[in-house]
Amino acid sequence: GREQSSCAPLIFTGEALTVQVRVGSPAQYFDVIADTGSDDLVIPSCRCWTCQIFEPCFDASKSSTVSLADWGFLLSYGSGDIETRAATDIVGLSNVTTMLKDGVMLIQALQLEDVGPFDGLVGLGLPKNSPLESQFLPTAGVQRFSVCYHDTGGALELNVPVLSTAMEQMGTYHWGLGLWGISAGSSEVPVFACGADAMTSEGQRTPCGAIPDSGTTYLMGPMSQILVMYASLCDAWERCAAMEGKTDAEKAVNFQTMVSFCDEWLEDDEGLEEIPSLFWRFGSSNETAQTIELTPWSYIAYLEVDVRGQDKHATHKVCYPMIGEFEYPTTYNGYVWIVGLPLFYQYKVYFDQTVPMKIGFSEEPCGGCQDGAAKTALLTEQAVPLGGGDGKNITGSPSRRTLAGGIRHATRRKIMT
């Protein structure tokens, strides 16, 4: 019969969605990034010589069921390298438990830039057939799952029902869909990117591609399309269109400027709603199957910045789009967008691991687990109600990603330990 469905609360840290996993006997607990863009279960080992000491780490000597391999992987991410040692042990998440053979990657050394404390990640990526890929959900017999979050938390639901509107996924290494156009302000206006004119090479199947990735904080795409995106958003936004700007480059600068000065206009009637939505036309290999709307609530974030006036200490809001540059050209699917957390904020995203594998989007509310158990998660000071963002510092580069976000060109090289 069908596996019993279950729900694991997701906590939004301000940069990533984390879920609790348990490893070993007796269980040792870790809050790891729930990452649909990668495959491995990666956790710190207590024998890691470059990990921060105060984090939870896996102590193999305390698990009666662990078996350590004499090899591991060097995992190369966008933000650096992680040296791991493979292990076999019991792994659990919510009510699902399985023995993961050579699938627990214990961090031996960490060489990462631009990431905060890192407790690991659980890969929820596209199931692979090769024997080395001991992925948690397929091994545990989970056929379908969904991921979503809201301001105070979210939910990773396992063994969810079939979503009738789900589309056949097209990725080879990652969960992927065809992208048949992006427009600003309305789904009825002409697309500014990824239209029919982007079908330029022989054998190309879709104008662009999209990877829905819960491990990436931003919407990541090629700079040429981001420029036109900002210009199109400016044209569709009355306040921005009123500024002087003729070229796409000028309009793009105007858009970013107007967004950053949000403190001056957020209190007006419409508030954030006056910024236009982005409409994405997703489909399989022949046409648009579903157009989804990302409202400004999902892709605009803010920082509270200290302003030291003469008389008193004050703060004001600086807003910014959660959009960053990532150049990922492909032969069959044109430029690929990494569609990160804004998508999971706006929709409950379904992943069906039964053949043919599918991805779907549902507008049902993300209620967390047990009607809001996830909502008890403590808000970190950088989690913000405009729909997320990395509120730690204003100097961070706009293309900053979480560690998992850099994983798409991850190389895995086997090493002997």
Side-chain angles (χ1 to χ4, degrees), residues 129-346:
N129 293 324
S130 97
L132 272 179
E133 308 275 355
S134 189
Q135 289 169 267
F136 174 66
L137 289 186
T139 306
V142 173
Q143 295 189 329
R144 282 173 293 277
F145 65 95
S146 68
V147 179
C148 65
Y149 85 105
H150 224 270
D151 304 320
T152 48
L156 167 61
E157 294 183 63
L158 306 178
N159 292 311
V160 291
V162 172
L163 185 70
S164 59
T165 52
M167 297 161 271
E168 201 167 318
Q169 79 85 33
M170 299 181 62
T172 307
Y173 303 105
H174 298 280
W175 291 106
L177 288 170
L179 179 54
W180 294 82
I182 316 171
S183 62
S186 163
S187 59
E188 306 299 316
V189 301
V191 302
F192 59 74
C194 302
D197 58 345
M199 298 281 278
T200 51
S201 65
E202 203 180 329
Q204 194 171 334
R205 294 168 193 156
T206 62
C208 295
I211 293 173
D213 182 2
S214 65
T216 294
T217 322
Y218 282 41
L219 304 169
M220 310 286 298
M223 185 47 81
S224 58
Q225 293 182 8
I226 292 174
L227 189 75
V228 195
M229 176 180 280
Y230 287 169
S232 303
L233 285 166
C234 185
D235 283 337
W237 181 13
E238 202 176 321
R239 191 183 294 272
C240 186
M243 296 172 74
E244 279 185 36
K246 293 188 176 66
T247 65
D248 281 350
E250 288 168 348
K251 291 175 186 175
V253 169
N254 289 348
F255 174 74
Q256 292 176 89
T257 304
M258 193 54 76
V259 168
S260 69
F261 286 114
C262 62
D263 217 28
E264 296 175 10
W265 53 263
L266 262 183
E267 302 305 317
D268 293 1
D269 294 344
E270 285 187 274
L272 199 66
E273 293 289 317
E274 67 172 67
I275 298 181
S277 291
L278 287 167
F279 293 84
W280 303 69
R281 294 155 169 75
F282 289 131
S284 299
S285 53
N286 45 6
E287 84 275 32
T288 304
Q290 189 175 358
T291 299
I292 67 147
E293 176 183 3
L294 294 184
T295 64
W297 292 101
S298 72
Y299 73 85
I300 301 288
Y302 75 81
L303 303 165
E304 290 282 359
V305 179
D306 287 340
V307 183
R308 300 189 188 281
Q310 290 169 344
D311 50 346
K312 63 179 190 296
H313 181 84
T315 65
H316 77 142
K317 287 188 183 72
V318 175
C319 296
Y320 61 95
M322 293 173 67
I323 295 168
E325 182 187 358
F326 187 68
E327 305 285 335
Y328 190 174
T330 66
T331 307
Y332 297 127
N333 301 104
Y335 276 106
V336 172
W337 277 79
I338 312 297
V339 189
L341 288 184
L343 175 66
F344 298 84
Y345 184 85
Q346 192 89 48

